[in-house]
Amino acid sequence: MTEPNEPADDEDFEAFAEEYEEHRDALYDLISDYADDKQLDDGLLAAMVLDLAVSLRMIAYANSVEKPSVSGLKMELDRFNKDAEEHARSAKQDAEEFIAEVKAQREEGGEPNA
């Protein structure tokens, strides 16, 4: 039997992963273009996107339950924090590869991509 957080099968997961990356790339491009147009600092942009992520998670919680509560929202924000920590740990594991790619792109005169 499949666990709740595991994909039903490899094909479903691959389709989901492909669609996820497509949407992620499109949002990244939209946000990057906006930041370039408005000449936003990368650090400020990251803070704004984090703020939006927290706000969107709060809205998702409120819209997903029949009777939203303060304690329920706090629990949801705890889950969000755990997800964010796991994501940051994963990024740390890929830090060497990321920096190598940034250096290579700089040598070629290009912009680094996330």
Side-chain angles (χ1 to χ4, degrees), residues 11-50:
E11 286 182 26
D12 287 346
F13 179 76
E14 286 183 30
F16 168 80
E18 186 176 317
E19 184 177 358
Y20 177 92
E21 285 300 317
E22 185 178 307
H23 289 302
R24 184 207 178 276
D25 291 346
L27 283 170
Y28 181 85
D29 290 343
L30 284 169
I31 291 168
S32 294
D33 290 346
Y34 178 84
D36 289 345
D37 184 51
K38 302 298 182 184
Q39 298 180 341
L40 296 177
D41 174 76
D42 289 342
L44 177 61
L45 179 62
M48 293 170 119
V49 171
L50 177 59

Side-chain angles (χ1 to χ4, degrees), residues 43-107:
L44 177 61
L45 179 62
M48 293 170 119
V49 171
L50 177 59
D51 182 38
L52 285 170
V54 172
S55 296
L56 288 170
R57 189 75 175 244
M58 292 170 72
I59 291 166
Y61 163 75
N63 289 335
S64 70
V65 296
E66 189 174 318
K67 294 182 180 181
S69 67
V70 172
S71 61
L73 176 58
K74 288 180 178 181
M75 287 174 49
E76 182 62 19
L77 291 173
D78 285 341
R79 285 188 287 272
F80 179 80
N81 190 46
K82 182 181 176 217
D83 292 345
E85 287 176 348
E86 288 176 11
H87 191 73
R89 269 194 300 278
S90 177
K92 283 181 179 181
Q93 292 173 350
D94 297 333
E96 187 174 338
E97 179 182 332
F98 177 80
I99 294 300
E101 287 177 18
V102 167
K103 288 179 178 180
Q105 287 177 350
R106 283 183 178 176
E107 287 177 9

